[in-house]
Amino acid sequence: MVPFIEKVADVIGDEHCGFQTIAEFMGFTEESHIMIHRHLIQELKDHRDDYVEDGCPLPPSSTKWHNHNNEDAMTWEDEYLDQHDLFRDLMIFEKGEKPPQPKKESNKAEPILCDTPEKAMQQFEVIGGR
């Protein structure tokens, strides 16, 4: 891979290192990582549909993401649980491991109906003047 590496950035190894690397490669200083972070978040908000495809396998979020995500992104992970499952299945296949058992089909087409009869409304007499 060495012939394909064009530049190496030695940034501070913390939770901002990805943003610091982008800043440095764009000609800014490492300290510009906050600006890069804000611009990337705004880009994702403005063009979310351009980055997300239905049925596209997505790796699960980092465990640190829960500690550092934006309030606007709190529910994003829940929206992609099916895509996380697709990614896990793909990784199992790539590793040559035994494929997971097929998931049972949903019963949405034939929902279970409760045949419990509805009780008649009862009238109650109010006692004591409140």
Side-chain angles (χ1 to χ4, degrees), residues 12-122:
I12 300 167
D14 61 12
E15 64 269 5
H16 306 291
C17 58
F19 300 112
Q20 292 167 344
T21 303
I22 293 169
E24 190 157 310
F25 276 99
M26 292 181 70
F28 300 108
T29 64
E30 284 184 42
E31 289 76 26
S32 301
H33 74 276
I34 295 170
M35 175 191 67
I36 300 295
H37 183 261
R38 287 183 180 147
H39 282 281
L40 285 172
I41 293 297
Q42 193 60 50
E43 171 71 14
L44 289 172
K45 286 179 181 179
D46 292 346
H47 304 284
R48 184 173 180 200
D49 292 340
D50 294 340
Y51 293 100
V52 178
E53 294 177 36
D54 287 336
C56 177
L58 291 174
S61 303
S62 164
T63 53
K64 291 185 178 184
W65 181 80
H66 296 283
N67 297 332
H68 303 287
N69 65 14
N70 184 297
E71 283 185 33
D72 296 336
M74 292 292 285
T75 61
W76 288 3
E77 188 174 44
D78 297 338
E79 296 176 32
Y80 304 106
L81 294 177
D82 290 341
Q83 290 169 285
H84 295 314
D85 287 341
L86 287 172
F87 181 83
R88 286 186 196 97
D89 292 347
L90 179 63
M91 290 298 98
I92 288 170
F93 177 78
E94 287 289 321
K95 292 177 185 176
E97 296 175 3
K98 184 177 176 184
Q101 294 294 323
K103 295 179 181 176
K104 293 182 180 179
E105 291 292 322
S106 167
N107 67 336
K108 287 182 181 177
E110 297 178 30
I112 299 171
L113 302 174
C114 296
D115 295 338
T116 306
E118 200 172 303
K119 292 184 178 180
M121 295 283 292
Q122 296 180 358

